[in-house]
């Protein structure tokens, strides 16, 4: 989000000059910014703090609402310490003053790495929750199986439910007839 063509080109040059490969889409006002958010996803959002018809904090709020996991970095010539602290408190990933654009590649690299780590952590946590849910369900089924005297229909329904929860095509319960010999009772598979 940058209203100055020259400043946008400087950003592109600083990123390209140190080997950060990027495809930059430049927008310069509220309408084009909101439209671009709808066209995402983006790996990163760079924004000027002060624009003629729009401000960076409003852009930050809109970006967090539309794409909360996308890093948002202010690149501005008019970002004092108090404004920078306020921007960080409101969720900006970082800021770079235009006079020190040589900091930009490092800030961008760090922001992208942190975003990737957060995404990996969310995926791992989701997988862990799914495994835990499956374990709890299997434990529930095992407890339930111990109390069943006539397995027939109840075991078939349990096998169906277990198959649905585990996304399995086929589930069966087997009983030990004698050591090394297993039997699947009628109606015990689904």
């Amino acid at each position: 989000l940058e209203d100055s063509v020259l400043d946008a080109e400087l950003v592109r040059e600083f990123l390209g000059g140190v080997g950060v490969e990027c495809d930059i889409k430049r927008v310069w006002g509220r309408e084009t910014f909101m439209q671009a958010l709808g066209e995402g996803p983006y790996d990163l959002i760079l924004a000027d703090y002060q624009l003629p018809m729009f401000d960076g904090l409003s852009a930050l709020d809109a970006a967090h609402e539309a794409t909360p996991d996308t890093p948002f970095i202010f690149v501005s010539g008019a970002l004092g310490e108090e404004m920078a602290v306020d921007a960080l408190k409101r969720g900006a990933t970082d800021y770079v003053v235009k006079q020190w654009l040589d900091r930009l590649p490092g800030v961008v690299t760090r922001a992208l790495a942190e975003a990737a780590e957060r995404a990996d952590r969310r995926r791992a946590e989701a997988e862990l929750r799914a495994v835990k849910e499956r374990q709890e369900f299997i434990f529930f089924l095992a407890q339930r199986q111990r109390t069943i005297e006539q397995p027939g229909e109840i075991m078939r329904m349990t096998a169906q439910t277990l198959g649905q929860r585990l996304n399995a095509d086929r589930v069966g319960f087997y009983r030990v007839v004698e050591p090394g010999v297993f039997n699947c009772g009628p109606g015990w598979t689904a």
Side-chain angles (χ1 to χ4, degrees):
L1 175 61
E2 176 60 68
D3 62 323
S4 167
V5 175
L6 178 60
D7 287 348
E9 282 304 314
L10 283 172
V11 166
R12 183 185 308 272
E13 288 298 317
F14 268 93
L15 291 176
V18 293
V20 177
E21 190 174 321
C22 54
D23 180 22
I24 297 176
K25 178 173 186 164
R26 179 178 159 258
V27 295
W28 50 89
R30 177 184 295 275
E31 286 182 33
T32 55
F33 183 73
M34 299 306 284
Q35 181 181 355
L37 283 178
E39 296 169 358
Y42 296 98
D43 296 322
L44 177 74
I45 297 172
L46 302 175
D48 196 347
Y49 189 82
Q50 290 182 327
L51 300 147
M53 302 296 288
F54 196 35
D55 69 280
L57 290 178
S58 295
L60 174 63
D61 293 341
H64 276 300
E65 187 174 319
T67 60
D69 299 325
T70 302
F72 191 103
I73 299 172
F74 280 108
V75 181
S76 184
L79 193 64
E81 187 176 329
E82 188 176 314
M83 288 181 208
V85 169
D86 187 37
L88 293 172
K89 284 181 180 178
R90 288 179 64 172
T93 306
D94 209 334
Y95 68 94
V96 175
V97 178
K98 287 182 180 177
Q99 291 82 355
W100 299 328
L101 281 178
D102 57 331
R103 279 191 64 230
L104 186 60
V107 169
V108 165
T109 301
R110 182 187 54 77
L112 293 173
E114 288 174 357
E117 287 174 15
R118 283 190 302 274
D120 289 345
R121 187 173 38 254
R122 278 192 304 276
R123 273 192 295 279
E125 289 170 353
E127 290 172 8
L128 185 60
R129 279 191 304 274
V131 167
K132 187 175 179 180
E133 286 175 7
R134 283 188 219 126
Q135 287 174 337
E136 289 172 355
F137 185 68
I138 289 170
F139 178 75
F140 165 76
L141 291 176
Q143 294 293 71
R144 185 172 159 191
Q145 183 179 2
R146 289 184 191 160
T147 62
I148 297 172
E149 292 180 16
Q150 297 185 3
E153 183 65 19
I154 294 173
M155 291 304 293
R156 187 188 66 70
M157 289 174 21
T158 302
Q160 282 179 337
T161 304
L162 181 60
Q164 291 168 353
R165 291 288 300 263
L166 297 177
N167 294 322
D169 293 332
R170 187 168 179 83
V171 173
F173 292 101
Y174 296 87
R175 61 180 163 202
V176 178
V177 177
E178 59 187 65
V181 178
F182 301 93
N183 184 17
C184 180
W188 284 32
T189 61

